[in-house]
Structures are given as C-alpha cells and as structure tokens.
Amino acid sequence: MPSESLRWETLQALKNSPKGKISFDPFWLERGEPLLAGCKDSPSLSPIAGVILERLSSAPLQKSSSFLGSRSGDSSPVLSEVSISSTGSVADVSARTAAFSAAASVKNEREQSLSDKVKDESPEADVSGVSSPTSLPAISLLSPKAMEMAGCIIKVQEEHREKAKLALRVRQEMQEKLVAAVASAESEQLKRFEELMELKQRQEYQSMRDMMERETKESIGRQEKLKEEQRRRITLVNLRLREAEQQRLREAELERQRQAEGRERLRSLNSIQEEILQLNQLLEPSTQTKTDLPLASLSSYSTRGNQLCSQVSEVVRKTAEGNFPSLEDMTVAERALHEMRALIRLMQEEAANVREKKKKEQEQEEERRKQAELLAKQEGEKKAAQLAKEKAQRKGLQNSAEDVTLKWYKDLQEAASRCAQSFEQLSSAKDGQTKKLKLELQKAATIPVSQIASNSGSQLREIFDKIDKLLSGRPVVSGGKSVSTSQHPQGLDFASYKLAEKFVKQGEEEVASHHEAAFPIAVVASGVWELHPQVGDLILAHLHKKCPYAIPHYPPMKEGTPVDEYQRILGYRVDDSGVEGQDSFLKRMSGMIRLYAAIIQLKWPYSSKQGPVPHGLNHGWRWLAQMLNMEPLADVTATLLFDFLEVCGNALMNQYRSQFWKLILLLKEEYFPRIEAVTSSGQMGSVIRLKQFLETSLQRRQISPPRGQLGSGFWRS
C-alpha cells in the first residue's frame, strides 16, 4: 500500500510544518497579535544561503522558476513550488533552496508594504486580509504527489475561508435586521407608554377635581354641624353654671352645718376628756391609800386608765391641728369613757369584795387565834422542854429560817399568786384573738431573755430597751408582729409574771451549764428590777419556789404530805419517771444561787436613778449569816456556799472587809467541821472544793474576782 503510506507521510510532514506547530494563546487579542500570523510567515533560509545563490547558475534557477505560481491578483511573479530531483546533489539542492528563500523574502517585503497600504485605506480589506492571507512562495522539496496533496489542502482552506466570510456577512445582515426590528418595537412601546401616562394624568386630575368638590360639600356640612353643636354647648354651659351656683350655695350651707356640728363634737370631746381625767385620778395608787385592793390590781387598773387617757389624748391632739373630731373619733372617745366608767365600777366592786373578804378573814383569824391560844397553853409546857433539849444539842443552830425571813418569803409567794390570779381571764381565754395575743405577749417577754449573752454591751442594751418598752406599755416587734401590753387590761401582769419566770429558768438551765452566763443575765435583771419593782418581787418569788435554799429555808415535812410532793417543795423535779438524780438537782440549785449572787452585786450601768442596787449586797450578807446559823445539809450546803462565795465573795470582801474575814474564819473553824460531819464519803467532792477555797482565801487574804464578770470595756463594745 504505497499510496496509504504516502498519505501518512504527507500528514506527518504537515504536522511537522510551521503551520502544524502553531500553539493556541488566549492572550492573542489582548496583545493585539493577528490570529493567523503563523500561517502568513514563510519559511526562510539562513544568511549563508546568499553565498550559495551567487554560485548557482542561472540555468537551473530559470528551469526551476517555472514551478513558481502567483496566488494573489497582482502582476509580480511569485514562486509557488520547486521540485528537486532526488538524483541531484546535495550542494545543488542547498544552493537552489537558498536562492528561492532569498527571492521569497524580497517578494514578502513588497507584499507586506502593499497590504499595509490597503489596510489603511479600507477596514474591509483588513478583514479580507486576515481571513485570506496572501500565499507566500514556498519551496517544495517533496514529490509531485505530495505537491498535489498540498495544493488540494490549500484549495480546501480557501473554500472554508470563503464559506466563513459568507456566513459572517449573513450573520451581520441578520444582526442588523434584528437590531432594526428591536428598535422599531421599542419606539412603538415608548409611544404606547407615553399615551398611557397621559391617560393616567387626565384620570388623576379628574379624580382630584371630584374629591375637591366632595370635600367642599363635606366641609360646608361640617361647618353647619359645628355651628349647631356650638349653640347646643352654649346652652349646656349656661345650664351647668346655674347648677354649679346652686351646688355652691348648698355646699356653703352644708359647711356651716358641718362647722356647727364639729364645734358641738369638739365641746363634747373636751367634756369627755375632762371626765376621763377625773375618773383616772380615782384609779391612781396615790389616791387609793385607804382602799383594801392589792397593789397589783391597783397597778393594772391605773395602767389601763392611763391607756384610755392616751387614746382620748390622741384624738384631742388631732383637733389641736385645726380639725374637728370626726364621728369615728367621737366613737373612740365615747367608748373610752364607757370603758373608764366600767373600770371604775369594776374597781369599786373589787374593793368592796376585798373589804368583805378581809372582814371575814379577820373574823376567822380572830377565831383561829383564840383556838390557837388555847392549844398553845396546853402544849406549851411539853414543847418548851423539848425545844430546850434540842437547842442545847444544836448549840444555837436551827433548821428553819427566822420568822422575819419566813414572813418575807410568804409575802412574796402571796404577791406572785395574786399576780397569777389577776391574769386568769387572759390565760384561760377561749376566743382565738385573745389566745393569739397571749402567745405574742409570752414570746415578747421570754425571747429577749433567751437572747442574752456576753457578746457585746450594745446587744445587751438593745435587749434591755426592748423589755423596758414591753413593760412600759409601748409596742414592741416580736416575730415580725407588733404587740403591746396595753392591748389587754391584764397584759402587763401576764408579761411581768412570764418575764420573771424566764429569768429564773435561765439561771436554772443556762447558768447551771455555763457559769459565766450569770453576769449578763443578772445585769439585765437588775436593770429591769430597778425600773419595774414588781418584776423583781416576782423574780424572788419564782427563785424561792424553785430553790428554797436561796431564802435560806429548809421546809419541814408536814404530816400527811406525800413524799413526791415534799420532794417538789425541796426543789426536786418529779415526773412520771420519778425524782431527778442528786447531780442534776445540785447543778440546778448551783445555777440559781449563782444567778442570785450575781444579781445582788450588779447595777444596770445606764440607769438614770441614783442609789444602791435594788436588791443589794446586804441581802447577800444576810443570806450568808443565816446559812451559818442553820444546820448543814449533806452535799447541798457545801455546794451552795462554794458557788455563792465564788461569785459574790470578792464583792462582799470589798464591802464588809474585816467583818467578812471574821465570817469566813467562823465558817472555816466552826461551821465547816459540822459540814464534814454530815457528809458521807461518797459526797466529799463539794466539801473538798469548799475547803480548798476557804484555805486559799484565808492564806492569801484575798478572793479573786469571778470569771465572766463584765468590765468597763465590755460596755463600749
């Protein structure tokens, strides 16, 4: 297949030709380079070919020039093809090739200059030039068949160029027609749009005219309505002015009546206040010197009377500011007057009952006294001998307190009993409001005492002020609620009783566990005692009842008294499980004696009253002397003497000096052996503590201040 191989060789030759090696560059247009520059360039020979051309003969050159052809329409000859025989020599072929290249280069220069002129004259010529570049002379070194194939290829390229030019012209014509059609359509559409806008303007103008006509008609109608409304309002205003004038006249008349009624109520209020003040004078304890009522009852009546006077004074104070009393104020004042009258009647009835009762008691007492005298005469002689023997054996010691002390003890118990009876109605109340008030009063009285501690002096002062306010009838806040003893006639007695009971309970529990706690509790109790003596008497009554050794008194066992009841009288706690142990009993007695020893030596530092402590050291001296005049009790006497002297010994030493040391020496040499005689071997702990205390004190001639005592720096904290 020689022809087939020849075709492949031809294609390979075309591929290796300069046209076949043209590479695509996307930046041709940006650099302004012609797209077919590679196709226009003709192959050229080396400059050395010029030397060869000089040596070539003219005959072969003329013979080979017959193969050149002209591709353009100009008159200058162009080399088209050169055929070289395969039998020729290599030197001849090289010489001829150089000659052809030189001739081709000369013609290319001429054609390039000519094409530049044509481009300057017409752009169309430029396009045609790009589309169909002038064929350059070429030297064919191939066989005739290859040359024929090359000619066919060139012819096909020319046909494709012509087709491309034709398609380009057709496309340009279609584009021009399309642009013309679009422009015509746009012109028509613009005309239609302008017509539509004119129509809308005419319609808007017409609608505005119609709207203006309607608004004109409506404004005329509104003006007519406004005129009518104005006439109607003028009529109404005139009518209201006449009504306002009539109302003013009526109010002026009512104000005159109100002023007259207010002045009348004010005169009535003044008369009520005058009557209440006169009745209140009847309730004052200073005016009741001849009455037989107890002091607690008189105090409760007087307190309630003062509260009623305060209520009326509050109403009168409002009228002092230029206001007349209202009906509610008059109701309050009249209610206070009725309650004051009822209080006077109740006091008179109670006084009459007391006088009647006292008269009966005197008659019964007289009868009992006569019977006792008869019995005394019969038994006097028997007891005289027995008492003489007992006194000789005791050598002056006794088992009970002196008659004066016992009378003082009984008076305190009777006063406490009367106080408890005075608020019986409050404590046994059935209605919920009174029960709630009782609970609030009890909390207000007991909670501050539970809060007493030796943290700071300012805290103690706050607690004292709170207790003082409660006992003075002023409202205090307890548990987030305001409560006052003036809310109930028996509120003050109830609060005082519960407060005293709580003080003693703190000594029984808190001081028994922490001995230093006796001093802050005692100083507050002493301050309250000084301002409210009734509370002090109740404290002593509760203390003597729970600890009879604070009198001192050893209650004898009466005939028919159960053992459990007698144990309670001695101060023991008795419940369903039985009698408490001796250690617990001594601990409680010790706490109460320590509290009592602290009270008798302390005075409230912020007291406005001058003078000694309300229940001072003289009572401590009396207690110690009476203890030494009584028979000692096993374990009890030694414990109480040690606790009392440890707390109060320094204060008694500073007060009585040499007399105190005489008493301590008497205790050590004469009374202490009696304590040892009645104490068993298992109860010697308290005896040993007392003995060491006495020996140390006598040896040093000094008793140290007790631990926990409040110094001057404490009150600045």
Side-chain angles (χ1 to χ4, degrees):
M1 301 261 305
S3 60
E4 186 71 22
S5 61
L6 184 60
R7 290 175 185 173
W8 285 108
E9 291 175 359
T10 303
L11 292 175
Q12 185 69 25
L14 289 174
K15 179 180 178 183
N16 295 329
S17 68
K19 292 182 181 180
K21 293 182 180 180
I22 295 175
S23 59
F24 176 76
D25 189 352
F27 301 103
W28 274 333
L29 294 178
E30 295 180 3
R31 293 195 298 266
E33 296 179 1
L35 300 177
L36 301 177
C39 296
K40 288 181 179 181
D41 295 342
S42 300
S44 61
L45 295 176
S46 166
I48 307 175
V51 180
I52 299 173
L53 289 175
E54 291 177 359
R55 295 179 182 181
L56 291 176
S57 62
S58 59
L61 181 61
Q62 291 176 358
K63 185 178 180 179
S64 60
S65 64
S66 63
F67 293 97
L68 298 174
S70 175
R71 298 182 61 183
S72 61
D74 57 1
S75 60
S76 60
V78 179
L79 294 176
S80 61
E81 294 180 358
V82 177
S83 175
I84 301 176
S85 174
S86 61
T87 60
S89 64
V90 176
D92 293 339
V93 172
S94 300
R96 289 175 183 176
T97 302
F100 292 154
S101 299
S105 62
V106 172
K107 189 172 183 178
N108 281 339
E109 290 178 359
R110 285 204 334 248
E111 288 180 355
Q112 183 68 28
S113 63
L114 182 61
S115 65
D116 292 340
K117 291 179 181 180
V118 174
K119 286 180 183 179
D120 294 338
E121 291 176 0
S122 169
E124 294 181 358
D126 187 18
V127 174
S128 63
V130 173
S131 303
S132 60
T134 305
S135 299
L136 298 177
I139 298 176
S140 176
L141 302 181
L142 303 176
S143 65
K145 290 183 178 182
M147 294 293 290
E148 184 181 359
M149 181 64 68
C152 291
I153 291 171
I154 292 171
K155 197 177 288 185
V156 170
Q157 288 178 348
E158 290 294 334
E159 290 177 359
H160 278 290
R161 284 192 189 94
E162 292 299 326
K163 288 181 181 180
K165 288 179 182 179
L166 180 61
L168 180 61
R169 283 195 298 272
V170 171
R171 189 171 180 180
Q172 286 178 350
E173 291 174 358
M174 290 178 64
Q175 189 70 20
E176 290 175 356
K177 290 179 181 180
L178 180 62
V179 170
V182 170
S184 177
E186 290 294 330
S187 176
E188 291 297 326
Q189 189 174 0
L190 181 60
K191 290 179 182 179
R192 301 291 84 77
F193 178 73
E194 290 176 352
E195 292 174 359
L196 180 61
M197 294 302 295
E198 290 178 358
L199 178 61
K200 287 185 177 180
Q201 288 179 357
R202 288 195 302 271
Q203 290 176 351
E204 290 178 357
Y205 178 71
Q206 185 64 32
S207 63
M208 288 179 65
R209 289 183 60 185
D210 295 342
M211 184 177 65
M212 290 175 66
E213 290 178 359
R214 286 196 303 271
E215 289 181 352
T216 303
K217 293 179 181 179
E218 290 176 357
S219 64
I220 293 172
R222 285 196 298 270
Q223 287 178 1
E224 293 297 329
K225 290 181 180 180
L226 288 174
K227 290 179 181 178
E228 182 65 25
E229 182 68 20
Q230 185 69 17
R231 287 192 294 270
R232 187 177 64 83
R233 287 185 178 182
I234 290 173
T235 305
L236 288 175
V237 167
N238 293 332
L239 181 60
R240 289 177 180 176
L241 287 174
R242 287 194 296 271
E243 291 178 353
E245 182 63 21
Q246 294 175 0
Q247 181 68 21
R248 187 184 64 80
L249 294 176
R250 286 196 298 269
E251 288 180 354
E253 182 64 24
L254 289 174
E255 182 63 25
R256 285 193 294 271
Q257 293 179 2
R258 194 180 301 112
Q259 292 284 340
E261 292 176 357
R263 285 190 289 271
E264 183 64 27
R265 285 197 297 270
L266 183 59
R267 285 192 292 270
S268 300
L269 180 62
N270 292 333
S271 62
I272 288 173
Q273 185 183 23
E274 182 180 2
E275 185 176 355
I276 283 181
L277 290 175
Q278 291 175 357
L279 293 175
N280 186 53
Q281 291 178 357
L282 299 177
L283 296 175
E284 292 295 331
S286 58
T287 62
Q288 301 292 332
T289 55
K290 297 182 180 181
T291 186
D292 295 324
L293 287 176
L295 183 60
S297 298
L298 288 176
S299 178
S300 63
Y301 285 128
S302 177
T303 302
R304 185 55 184 165
N306 291 331
Q307 293 171 0
L308 295 175
C309 290
S310 299
Q311 292 179 5
V312 178
S313 298
E314 186 67 26
V315 175
V316 174
R317 192 177 298 112
K318 294 179 182 178
T319 62
E321 299 174 357
N323 299 325
F324 291 113
S326 61
L327 293 176
E328 291 80 4
D329 295 336
M330 293 303 299
T331 302
V332 171
E334 290 174 357
R335 189 184 300 115
L337 178 60
H338 292 324
E339 189 172 350
M340 179 66 79
R341 290 172 179 171
L343 202 63
I344 292 294
R345 286 196 300 271
L346 183 62
M347 185 191 70
Q348 292 174 351
E349 291 175 359
E350 186 176 353
N353 293 334
V354 168
R355 285 194 296 270
E356 184 68 24
K357 184 177 179 181
K358 190 174 182 180
K359 184 177 179 181
K360 290 180 180 179
E361 289 178 353
Q362 288 177 354
E363 292 176 354
Q364 293 175 0
E365 182 66 26
E366 183 67 22
E367 179 122 3
R368 285 195 297 272
R369 187 179 61 81
K370 291 179 180 179
Q371 292 178 359
E373 288 178 356
L374 292 175
L375 292 174
K377 289 179 180 179
Q378 294 175 2
E379 296 180 1
E381 296 178 359
K382 294 180 181 180
K383 291 183 178 181
Q386 185 177 357
L387 288 174
K389 291 180 181 179
E390 291 178 356
K391 286 183 181 180
Q393 293 175 355
R394 290 196 303 265
K395 294 183 179 180
L397 298 182
Q398 53 192 12
N399 288 324
S400 181
E402 297 178 353
D403 295 340
V404 177
T405 304
L406 288 177
K407 184 177 182 303
W408 173 57
Y409 160 71
K410 292 178 181 179
D411 291 342
L412 290 174
Q413 296 301 318
E414 290 176 1
S417 178
R418 287 194 301 269
C419 182
Q421 291 176 1
S422 66
F423 59 81
E424 181 67 25
Q425 181 182 356
L426 176 61
S427 59
S428 61
K430 301 295 183 181
D431 60 303
Q433 188 68 23
T434 307
K435 285 183 178 180
K436 186 177 180 181
L437 176 61
K438 181 187 73 172
L439 182 61
E440 294 297 332
L441 285 174
Q442 185 171 351
K443 288 182 179 179
T446 57
I447 290 178
V449 180
S450 302
Q451 296 173 346
I452 295 175
S454 57
N455 296 332
S456 65
S458 58
Q459 181 185 7
L460 281 188
R461 189 168 186 179
E462 290 178 3
I463 293 173
F464 175 81
D465 292 340
K466 194 171 184 179
I467 296 173
D468 182 44
K469 283 183 180 179
L470 178 67
L471 298 178
S472 300
R474 289 177 289 175
V476 296
V477 178
S478 177
K481 298 180 181 179
S482 178
V483 64
S484 172
T485 56
S486 60
Q487 293 176 322
H488 195 277
Q490 302 169 1
L492 179 60
D493 291 338
F494 178 77
S496 301
Y497 190 89
K498 292 298 180 181
L499 179 65
E501 186 179 40
K502 184 62 178 178
F503 272 120
V504 176
K505 190 174 182 181
Q506 284 295 99
E508 185 181 9
E509 297 176 355
E510 182 67 20
V511 179
S513 301
H514 306 91
H515 294 166
E516 293 83 359
F519 294 97
I521 298 173
V523 74
V524 176
S526 179
V528 174
W529 195 332
E530 184 175 359
L531 295 179
H532 307 279
Q534 181 186 3
V535 177
D537 293 341
L538 291 173
I539 289 175
L540 284 178
H542 284 291
L543 180 65
H544 293 167
K545 186 175 182 180
K546 289 190 174 184
C547 179
Y549 312 104
I551 302 173
H553 176 54
Y554 305 153
M557 185 174 181
K558 298 180 181 179
E559 295 182 3
T561 304
V563 177
D564 292 347
E565 183 64 26
Y566 182 64
Q567 295 286 351
R568 288 193 183 93
I569 294 174
L570 292 178
Y572 288 88
R573 284 179 176 174
V574 182
D575 51 20
D576 296 338
S577 60
V579 182
E580 68 174 331
Q582 186 69 8
D583 292 340
S584 174
F585 168 74
L586 290 175
K587 184 178 180 181
R588 290 191 304 105
M589 297 300 111
S590 172
M592 287 184 280
I593 285 296
R594 284 179 175 273
L595 177 63
Y596 179 69
I599 288 176
I600 62 177
Q601 63 176 308
L602 292 178
K603 181 178 176 63
W604 180 246
Y606 301 104
S607 174
S608 58
K609 295 183 179 180
Q610 300 295 328
V613 180
H615 192 77
L617 286 173
N618 57 326
H619 292 275
W621 181 265
R622 179 189 58 80
W623 182 87
L624 184 58
Q626 289 193 7
M627 281 291 290
L628 299 181
N629 285 329
M630 299 177 68
E631 282 289 345
L633 296 179
D635 212 8
V636 175
T637 303
T639 300
L640 299 183
L641 283 174
F642 172 74
D643 291 329
F644 184 84
L645 289 173
E646 188 179 41
V647 175
C648 196
N650 181 265
L652 290 173
M653 176 192 70
N654 295 330
Q655 178 75 18
Y656 295 100
R657 300 184 181 278
S658 60
Q659 296 296 326
F660 173 75
W661 291 114
K662 290 179 180 179
L663 195 63
I664 294 297
L665 186 61
L666 176 66
L667 170 59
K668 173 65 174 61
E669 294 181 352
E670 296 186 13
Y671 194 73
F672 188 76
R674 291 178 177 272
I675 296 176
E676 290 179 324
V678 297
T679 305
S680 62
S681 58
Q683 300 172 338
M684 293 300 292
S686 57
V687 176
I688 294 173
R689 285 194 299 271
L690 177 61
K691 182 178 181 181
Q692 291 176 350
F693 177 83
L694 294 175
E695 290 177 351
T696 304
S697 300
L698 290 171
Q699 182 179 0
R700 296 179 180 178
R701 199 73 176 178
Q702 179 69 31
I703 296 179
S704 302
R707 288 186 303 170
Q709 193 171 19
L710 306 178
S712 58
F714 172 80
W715 299 106
R716 293 193 294 269
S717 61

